[in-house]
Amino acid sequence: MALPGSIPVIMDCDPGHDDAIALVLAQARPEIDIRGVCTTAGNQTIDKTTLNARKILSFLGNDVPVSRGCAKPLFRELITAASVHGESGLDGPALPDPRWPESDLSAFELMVKILEESDVPVTMVPTGALTNLALLLLTRPDLKAKIGRISLMGGSAVGGNWTPSAEFNILVDPEAAQIVFSSGLPITMSGLDVTHKAIVTADDIESFRAIGKPGAVMVAELLDFFKKFHEEYFAGFGGSPLHDPCAVAWLVAPEIFTSRKARVDVECAGRYTTGATVVSFAQGVSHTGAAGRVPLDEANVDVLFDVDREAFVALLRDALEVLD
Amino acid sequence: MKRKIIIDCDPGIDDALAIFMALASDRLDVLGITTVAGNVGIDHVTRNALSLVSLAGKTLPVCRGASGPFIIKREKGGARVHGENGVGDVPLPPPAFGEDSRSAADFIHEMADEHEGELDLVVIGPLTNVATALGRYSGLTKKIRRIIMMGGAAGFGNVTPAAEFNIYADFHAAAAVFQAGIPIDMYGLDVTNRALISEDEMATLRATGKNIPILCCDMLKTYADFYESVGFSGLALHDPFAMACAIDESLAEYRECYVEVETQGTLTRGKTVVDILGVTGQNPNARVAVDLDRGRFIKLMSDLLVSYV
């Protein structure tokens, strides 16, 4: 449960196996106070991701509002990732039906309510397409003052996972992503550059299962399913990249990550590159030799590049051990 | 057997080094040089090519190519990088012979006919000439064995965050070349930004007291000043690395990938979109260099430059 002085967050997600594990991690960490959960379409349709979010929150015994977000991207047709997450969007463990109903508020309304009522800045944690957050920033710019930071999973400096240039969450709604990236709010981007290093191996999964508690076993079963896709298509990874939990892990353990300040904009008009996050470093020389090309005051994002994998897995394991 | 090549280039400081390397190598048979506007304008690059070949003590067909890209004119040239004359404002002696009357595209076509299945193009400038030749002569794709290309990047660009100069300078032409079906070896910034020469290695070249190594070092001085001005620590030898690999391909490690060139994006035009993870399901059309043996590259280059009397 949340401690005094903890970080208030709004989770904005499309569970999704790694979204679900991000929720588990956020729930387990005392520094994080989940004020509400919004859903977005992406990994599966909005009906499925909303149901999945409610199931996970119920499983965790957390009765915070779960609010349904936009059914489709701002301007585009929805693409989903059934090949990764299965037909339900959360194939694998047999989760009980939700104990609580869906919130009467839409995701937009819930975000507004939480931000208006909070007397401290709230951290937004989007781990899906950025449709809901873009709507909020466009239509209630006054509430930017209530947002302390956005820690998002999405994008990549080099290479995509759904197309050669685009990461899935950004590709689903590139215009929304550009609205968020150009909002002026401080952003931490857990893109593929770091999440492809946040690997859980088959041995890690067994160590989670061996904890024996229901939450740990459930996460192991999520990962059993998630593993199948990555073994088939991305065998070179040596495990499954835990994309979304990075956005939460950075909030509680930034010291296990390395980052660089950069200007990030989203390609919305490419023939092959739509959804690419175009990253321009602010200063110095990157690990790939790309010279910094934008002044520091034009940098809008802290781009994460590396993570201490062992420490990241230990963080998850510890979370599963304390979870009731 | 020597590898038969045409060098398609825009000299260009690093092009100049690559030309000297090729003309000194006993592994390459340089059939001719075609020029293309890029680092500087077509008059400068053509004259530079003639002077460089003359300095190397050779006479070769030097054929003038495109004076600009297919469709979209470049907004900025390479003068800042390569000096006003294209070779670091180092004065070159006048050419000892004149340019060939054939156009670059016609020369590529003639040589491909004459040496069908044996001709490799070493392309170290914008791809306008190659695309022009492919467009003009049907059947040419089957006659050219391979294209060795300095251009593009799987990772970051240099002229924009997403695009490398040679591709960006004529991205429509580059797109046409990648789609043509000719096998391509792509030496992009992923490796060439790491093909660095150190100050000590340059001092060693200079210490030979020989004309051509000293000339190369003089030209590289302009190049080094530019790189320093943009905060890049190290002198990247883009074109010489591609030429070195035309001589000895084992200097690089490769991944077979499907590559497309973005022609429409507002932020990414000219980006080589490299399908490293194989998410498109398309068959590879290029061998993309992903790693290099820097030490062996510098040795090969230095040995060739020093071999001139």
Side-chain angles (χ1 to χ4, degrees):
Chain A
M1 281 297 101
L3 294 171
S6 58
I7 308 164
V9 304
I10 298 174
M11 306 294 289
D12 187 20
C13 56
D14 58 342
H17 293 72
D18 50 336
D19 301 77
I21 297 169
L23 288 168
V24 169
L25 181 60
Q27 169 76 14
R29 293 294 300 205
E31 310 93 321
I32 292 191
D33 174 13
I34 304 175
R35 296 277 174 95
V37 176
C38 297
T39 62
T40 181
N43 286 332
Q44 261 298 357
T45 61
I46 196 70
D47 285 343
K48 292 177 179 177
T49 60
T50 305
L51 178 63
N52 292 340
R54 290 168 59 213
K55 283 182 175 178
I56 291 291
L57 269 291
S58 291
F59 183 91
L60 295 171
N62 189 335
D63 63 355
V64 293
V66 176
S67 284
R68 175 180 295 246
C70 300
K72 70 180 278 298
L74 293 179
F75 303 115
R76 296 172 191 259
E77 293 308 309
L78 179 65
I79 54 173
T80 61
S83 61
V84 188
H85 299 279
E87 272 312 306
S88 73
L90 205 53
D91 280 13
L95 288 165
D97 287 336
R99 292 151 63 184
W100 299 293
E102 188 179 320
S103 168
D104 292 336
L105 301 177
S106 71
F108 174 83
E109 291 168 326
L110 180 66
M111 285 180 177
V112 169
K113 179 170 186 283
I114 292 169
L115 293 174
E116 282 181 339
E117 288 176 356
S118 181
D119 45 19
V120 292
V122 175
T123 296
M124 308 301 281
V125 186
T127 58
L130 291 156
T131 319
N132 297 332
L133 186 52
L135 265 183
L136 179 83
L137 297 174
L138 274 183
T139 57
R140 289 296 305 273
D142 57 303
L143 291 176
K144 284 184 189 177
K146 291 293 190 77
I147 297 174
R149 178 167 283 270
I150 299 166
S151 178
L152 64 85
M153 191 281 136
S156 73
V158 178
N161 61 356
W162 214 254
T163 73
S165 319
E167 180 280 330
F168 181 78
N169 286 345
I170 306 296
L171 182 68
V172 171
D173 198 343
E175 287 81 10
Q178 177 58 14
I179 289 164
V180 171
F181 278 110
S182 58
S183 66
L185 290 169
I187 296 172
T188 300
M189 174 174 129
S190 294
L192 301 178
D193 314 291
V194 67
T195 69
H196 281 174
K197 295 169 184 163
I199 299 288
V200 286
T201 65
D203 287 349
D204 295 330
I205 296 172
E206 291 320 310
S207 77
F208 296 164
R209 203 184 324 273
I211 293 168
K213 291 184 167 182
V217 173
M218 189 272 290
V219 165
E221 287 173 3
L222 284 172
L223 290 169
D224 289 339
F225 184 87
F226 205 45
K227 182 163 80 102
K228 291 182 201 164
F229 170 80
H230 292 97
E231 277 179 347
E232 183 170 357
Y233 293 100
F234 297 129
F237 288 173
S240 302
L242 280 197
H243 306 287
D244 296 339
C246 288
V248 175
W250 180 81
L251 291 175
V252 297
E255 69 281 359
I256 70 173
F257 293 91
T258 57
S259 70
R260 270 195 75 188
K261 290 198 178 298
R263 175 77 213 176
V264 179
D265 292 288
V266 180
E267 177 61 82
C268 297
R271 185 174 179 183
Y272 304 111
T273 52
T274 294
T277 42
V278 179
V279 174
S280 236
F281 295 112
Q283 55 189 358
V285 175
S286 86
H287 61 299
T288 55
R293 58 174 69 241
V294 296
L296 188 57
D297 61 5
E298 288 177 26
N300 57 345
V301 178
D302 292 294
V303 180
L304 303 188
F305 277 100
D306 206 355
V307 61
D308 177 342
R309 193 198 78 84
E310 298 286 336
F312 174 77
V313 172
L315 191 78
L316 278 178
R317 193 179 295 118
D318 292 349
L320 297 175
E321 276 169 0
V322 302
L323 205 62
D324 294 327
Chain B
M1 201 178 90
K2 288 188 175 187
R3 184 175 201 174
K4 292 184 172 63
I5 66 164
I6 293 171
I7 307 171
D8 186 47
C9 58
D10 57 341
I13 293 168
D14 55 336
D15 303 71
L17 271 68
I19 290 170
F20 284 140
M21 291 164 67
L23 296 180
S25 171
D26 59 9
R27 309 273 291 274
L28 299 178
D29 177 7
V30 183
L31 303 177
I33 292 179
T34 52
T35 60
V36 60
N39 288 328
V40 286
I42 191 67
D43 289 337
H44 273 313
V45 298
T46 306
R47 187 189 148 89
N48 289 343
L50 288 163
S51 290
L52 292 163
V53 175
S54 302
L55 272 167
K58 310 268 182 180
T59 306
L60 284 176
V62 173
C63 303
R64 177 182 290 248
S67 60
F70 263 8
I71 299 174
I72 295 184
K73 296 295 170 205
R74 206 174 50 254
E75 284 163 18
K76 47 186 175 178
R80 211 157 58 100
V81 190
H82 295 269
E84 288 303 322
N85 77 345
V87 284
D89 294 329
V90 174
L92 296 181
F97 61 98
E99 65 183 86
D100 196 280
S101 61
R102 290 167 286 187
S103 75
D106 288 346
F107 182 72
I108 290 170
H109 172 235
E110 276 185 33
M111 290 302 107
D113 263 350
E114 201 171 307
H115 306 281
E116 186 172 335
E118 294 179 355
L119 176 66
D120 293 335
L121 303 182
V122 180
V123 184
I124 55 180
L127 290 135
T128 321
N129 290 340
V130 181
T132 303
L134 294 176
R136 231 181 248 180
Y137 302 105
S138 61
L140 187 57
T141 52
K142 293 190 181 67
K143 295 174 184 170
I144 295 169
R145 188 173 64 171
R146 185 168 281 276
I147 293 172
I148 292 106
M149 177 191 298
M150 189 282 129
F156 299 98
N158 57 5
V159 67
T160 76
E164 181 276 333
F165 178 83
N166 283 348
I167 305 295
Y168 184 78
D170 194 350
F171 46 82
H172 291 106
V177 171
F178 273 99
Q179 287 167 3
I182 302 170
I184 293 172
D185 291 346
M186 173 177 141
Y187 300 96
L189 299 176
D190 316 294
V191 285
T192 66
N193 264 343
R194 293 187 280 153
L196 303 171
I197 184 165
S198 70
E199 285 184 17
D200 284 353
E201 287 158 347
M202 279 178 61
T204 305
L205 276 177
R206 207 178 268 284
T208 60
K210 290 183 164 186
N211 287 341
I212 284 187
I214 289 173
L215 177 70
C216 289
C217 290
D218 288 346
M219 292 191 288
L220 285 171
K221 175 77 172 65
T222 303
Y223 212 52
D225 292 346
F226 170 78
Y227 273 114
E228 206 175 316
S229 77
V230 295
F232 190 100
S233 60
L235 191 50
L237 298 177
H238 305 287
D239 296 341
F241 183 69
M243 188 60 77
C245 292
I247 294 165
D248 178 359
E249 66 176 28
S250 76
L251 294 172
E253 282 177 29
Y254 305 84
R255 291 273 297 275
E256 299 264 353
C257 295
Y258 178 65
V259 181
E260 290 274 17
V261 176
E262 175 61 47
T263 55
Q264 294 175 7
T266 52
L267 304 172
T268 52
R269 284 203 306 201
K271 176 182 174 64
T272 44
V273 178
V274 180
D275 188 9
I276 289 273
L277 293 178
V279 297
T280 63
Q282 300 276 358
N283 289 326
N285 58 353
R287 289 199 307 169
V288 178
V290 293
D291 207 353
L292 75 163
D293 185 337
R294 193 203 71 89
R296 234 165 23 92
F297 155 61
I298 294 293
K299 174 154 185 2
L300 183 146
M301 182 184 77
S302 301
D303 287 350
L304 289 170
L305 295 178
V306 169
S307 72
Y308 285 97
V309 289

